[in-house]
Amino acid sequence: MAGPKGIWRSAIKRDSSTMTAQEAQMRGARACAGVVLYQPDAALLARQAEGLHGLTLFVFANGPVEAQALAALAPTQLRLISSAENVGLGQGLNAVMRAAAAEGFSHVMLLDQDSEPPVGLLNALTERCVALEERGEKVAVLAPRLVPPQEGFYKPIRYEWRGSTRVDGLAPLEFAPTSGSLVSLPAFAAIGPFRDDFFIAGLDVEWGFRAWAHGWGSYLASDLAMPHRWGEAVSEEELGMAQILRHAPLRNYYYVRNVIATARLPHVPLRWRLRSCAGLAAQIGLLALKGPPGSLRPVRAGLVDGIRGRLGPAPASVA
């Protein structure tokens, strides 16, 4: 990993115009990281801890987590919050944000459990975000550019842009993926928590649109990069396969249900509603043609529950 890390580190090299972490804290900024764990891979957590060495990391254990996995996070200043059962990603993220606010932090870099933040990324995002805030900008999220990892075959993430790249190099996004995103706690207080009734899928999408509706923006700093595993790894030949064909049936239930639920919300732009529902219809058609037997059953349940507004954990008949 030494080679790739060198590349990613170079993207966050400071120049004389940026402030040090100590200066950021003196100006009222205190940043930490946060992650929700559900049956995590200890080896990937160890890589995550490398990039967060010595930094405060709030961890929500969403159900039992093996001691080996938690031990992998020892290089960080660990703050552990535990739940005996899986209560969903939304509740976990909200618990992390509340705990960080209670300790006086101003910004939280949210991570997926397989995220690999390069050394210095948290400070680089915080410095950039504080500079924007000092100019009076209402920044809800500042995100790095997510790139596929060196190993395996993962699809590159697709961003949904909200206008052109600015003169300072930041690109406005409709919403930012959770992984790697630096979230402002003052913005979080003004916008409200993540939708815990969504349980797992689309939380970042809905929250990003709600942020814009409240006057808070999401931006991509394309010169800051972080490896990200989007979906599941496939063979090189399967790289072009649609996600709905690669996801587990339960994942498809949440995806379909929450797209419909998000499209029904008044703060979501009509352009996104039309495009997403049309795309969903095309994906369901593809699943009907190429999916394994029974693959449409959770999709039908997701459509019905999304239309009816039945959210929360998936029903036992689907799970």
Side-chain angles (χ1 to χ4, degrees):
M1 295 298 294
K5 280 188 179 177
I7 296 172
W8 295 321
R9 280 198 191 107
S10 68
I12 58 178
K13 187 180 295 182
R14 300 176 64 253
D15 59 41
S16 59
S17 66
T18 60
M19 58 185 163
T20 65
Q22 291 79 9
E23 289 170 337
Q25 292 197 15
M26 289 175 61
R27 293 156 93 162
R30 289 188 65 217
C32 61
V35 65
V36 177
L37 302 184
Y38 178 73
Q39 300 178 352
D41 183 305
L44 291 178
L45 287 184
R47 295 189 194 179
Q48 184 170 115
E50 289 179 13
L52 301 173
H53 191 280
L55 301 175
T56 301
L57 174 65
F58 288 88
V59 170
F60 185 87
N62 208 1
V65 175
E66 293 181 357
Q68 181 183 7
L70 293 178
L73 297 173
T76 70
Q77 296 183 30
L78 184 62
R79 305 286 197 276
L80 180 62
I81 310 163
S82 297
S83 171
E85 60 184 13
N86 179 9
V87 295
L89 179 61
Q91 283 200 39
L93 291 174
N94 289 334
V96 163
M97 298 299 283
R98 288 193 300 267
E103 285 204 26
F105 287 95
S106 60
H107 299 77
V108 183
M109 182 174 68
L110 295 176
L111 299 166
D112 290 351
Q113 63 186 22
D114 57 1
S115 300
E116 296 182 44
V119 173
L121 179 63
L122 177 57
N123 281 342
L125 286 170
T126 304
E127 292 172 1
R128 191 83 56 90
C129 194
V130 169
L132 294 168
E133 291 165 351
E134 289 184 336
R135 296 205 300 262
E137 296 204 41
K138 297 174 70 175
V139 180
V141 174
L142 184 61
R145 177 171 51 89
L146 300 179
V147 297
Q150 298 294 309
E151 77 283 355
F153 293 98
Y154 292 87
K155 282 192 169 186
I157 196 144
R158 295 193 300 266
Y159 290 102
E160 298 202 22
W161 310 105
R162 191 182 178 100
S164 303
T165 300
R166 306 181 345 169
V167 294
D168 59 5
L170 297 183
L173 300 172
E174 297 278 27
F175 51 85
T178 303
S179 183
S181 288
L182 186 77
V183 180
S184 158
L185 275 163
F188 187 78
I191 297 161
F194 294 103
R195 290 285 300 260
D196 56 19
D197 56 353
F198 275 31
F199 202 77
I200 185 170
L203 285 85
D204 45 8
V205 177
E206 186 280 329
W207 196 83
F209 282 128
R210 186 160 25 112
W212 282 110
H214 283 77
W216 295 82
S218 298
Y219 300 94
L220 179 76
S222 59
D223 59 320
L224 306 179
M226 188 184 84
H228 175 73
R229 293 168 176 81
W230 186 41
E232 293 82 27
V234 295
S235 67
E236 188 173 8
E237 294 74 22
E238 296 173 321
L239 195 56
M241 183 184 295
Q243 291 280 41
I244 201 166
L245 295 175
R246 296 159 57 187
H247 282 160
L250 183 59
R251 182 72 177 270
N252 280 341
Y253 165 82
Y254 282 118
Y255 166 64
V256 170
R257 186 195 71 181
N258 291 355
V259 166
I260 299 299
T262 301
R264 298 177 63 209
L265 297 171
H267 57 266
V268 175
L270 178 62
R271 63 181 181 278
W272 187 90
R273 300 183 203 183
L274 296 175
R275 185 171 66 249
S276 294
C277 288
L280 180 60
Q283 290 180 75
I284 293 173
L286 184 63
L287 189 64
L289 290 173
K290 297 187 176 183
S295 57
L296 287 181
R297 184 175 61 84
V299 167
R300 283 194 296 266
L303 287 170
V304 170
D305 286 351
I307 293 170
R308 291 179 176 174
R310 185 213 171 275
L311 303 178
S317 59
V318 175

